[in-house]
């Protein structure tokens, strides 16, 4: 039989089930909602101005659960956030930290443990160890800088991202950085 739980008249963007079976819901203007399927308990997390340990923005667009138990959230207006479900705290990353846009539409992980995100201003790779962003745009082969929420990662690692001009796809392990930056010399 079909059952439901009423959470009010809210627009939902995405849902994610963690390794403990809890359902996490991203909602428009309502932040992050945790729903325990067994106990039917609801818990809501919202942003609080001036408190960096809270959600950075109340529009949660996407999720990714890593092997360490953290849940990574992409927000529409607040950037990237790492949520610790044990302590119920957030660590936030924004354009000040190198993220190319404050709107993150999808998050995936590669074989090296880097997070890949589609944003409103290109593609971004986040190194969780160094907490550094590497950004990619049209000059790097990305079809357009503006993405939308349509995205998936195949079992073989390929990532497909919907954008305003079509679909950008790549396999993260095949992207190499050029460490040999040429010296510039003006001769005339």
């Amino acid at each position: 039989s079909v059952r439901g739980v009423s959470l009010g008249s809210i627009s939902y963007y995405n849902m994610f089930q963690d390794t403990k079976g809890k359902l996490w819901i991203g909602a428009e203007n309502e932040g992050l909602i945790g729903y325990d399927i067994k106990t039917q308990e609801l818990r809501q997390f919202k942003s609080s101005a001036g408190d960096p340990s809270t959600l950075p923005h109340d529009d949660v667009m996407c999720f990714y659960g890593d092997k360490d138990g953290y849940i990574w959230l992409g927000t529409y207006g607040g950037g990237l956030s790492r949520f610790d479900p044990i302590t119920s705290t957030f660590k936030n990353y924004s354009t000040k930290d190198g993220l190319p846009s404050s709107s993150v539409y999808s998050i995936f992980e590669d074989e090296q443990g880097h997070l890949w995100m589609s944003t409103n201003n290109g593609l971004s790779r986040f190194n969780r160890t160094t907490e550094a962003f590497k950004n990619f745009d049209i000059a790097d082969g990305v079809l357009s800088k503006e993405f939308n929420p349509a995205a998936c990662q195949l079992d073989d690692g390929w990532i497909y991202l919907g954008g305003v001009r079509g679909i950008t796809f790549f396999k993260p392990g095949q992207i190499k950085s050029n460490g040999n930056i040429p010296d510039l010399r003006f001769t005339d």
Side-chain angles (χ1 to χ4, degrees), residues 29-91:
N29 296 319
E30 295 298 326
L32 176 66
I33 300 168
Y35 178 65
D36 190 313
I37 297 168
K38 293 176 187 169
T39 65
Q40 297 185 357
E41 177 187 354
L42 286 170
R43 185 151 183 220
Q44 185 176 29
F45 300 89
K46 294 191 81 169
S47 63
S48 178
D51 187 349
S53 68
T54 66
L55 188 64
H57 196 277
D58 289 331
D59 285 346
V60 177
M61 298 294 296
C62 60
F63 300 93
Y64 180 77
D66 70 18
K67 62 182 174 20
D68 298 322
Y70 294 115
I71 299 172
W72 294 86
L73 312 168
T75 69
Y76 188 75
L80 176 69
S81 185
R82 185 190 75 189
F83 176 64
D84 184 340
I86 294 171
T87 63
S88 297
T89 57
F90 297 83
K91 182 169 185 180

Side-chain angles (χ1 to χ4, degrees), residues 115-130:
L115 299 180
W116 290 83
M117 291 156 276
S118 62
T119 76
N120 248 2
N121 193 23
L123 176 66
S124 187
R125 180 184 67 205
F126 179 68
N127 183 322
R128 292 185 301 159
T129 304
T130 64

Side-chain angles (χ1 to χ4, degrees), residues 41-188:
E41 177 187 354
L42 286 170
R43 185 151 183 220
Q44 185 176 29
F45 300 89
K46 294 191 81 169
S47 63
S48 178
D51 187 349
S53 68
T54 66
L55 188 64
H57 196 277
D58 289 331
D59 285 346
V60 177
M61 298 294 296
C62 60
F63 300 93
Y64 180 77
D66 70 18
K67 62 182 174 20
D68 298 322
Y70 294 115
I71 299 172
W72 294 86
L73 312 168
T75 69
Y76 188 75
L80 176 69
S81 185
R82 185 190 75 189
F83 176 64
D84 184 340
I86 294 171
T87 63
S88 297
T89 57
F90 297 83
K91 182 169 185 180
N92 303 312
Y93 303 89
S94 70
T95 54
K96 294 175 187 172
D97 301 302
L99 188 64
S101 170
S102 60
S103 295
V104 177
Y105 293 126
S106 66
I107 305 170
F108 299 103
E109 185 177 19
D110 67 17
E111 293 175 354
Q112 289 76 39
H114 302 318
L115 299 180
W116 290 83
M117 291 156 276
S118 62
T119 76
N120 248 2
N121 193 23
L123 176 66
S124 187
R125 180 184 67 205
F126 179 68
N127 183 322
R128 292 185 301 159
T129 304
T130 64
E131 296 188 322
F133 290 92
K134 166 78 174 140
N135 301 316
F136 302 87
D137 61 22
I138 295 168
D140 301 299
V142 175
L143 199 54
S144 71
K145 290 175 77 170
E146 187 176 345
F147 288 95
N148 58 42
C152 72
Q153 183 174 27
L154 303 183
D155 290 338
D156 61 5
W158 280 84
I159 296 174
Y160 289 78
L161 305 169
V164 296
R165 294 206 170 149
I167 298 171
T168 295
F169 54 95
F170 61 98
K171 188 163 187 179
Q174 294 178 350
I175 296 176
K176 305 291 182 212
S177 295
N178 183 358
N180 298 320
I181 299 170
D183 292 331
L184 290 177
R185 294 196 180 133
F186 294 98
T187 59
D188 197 354

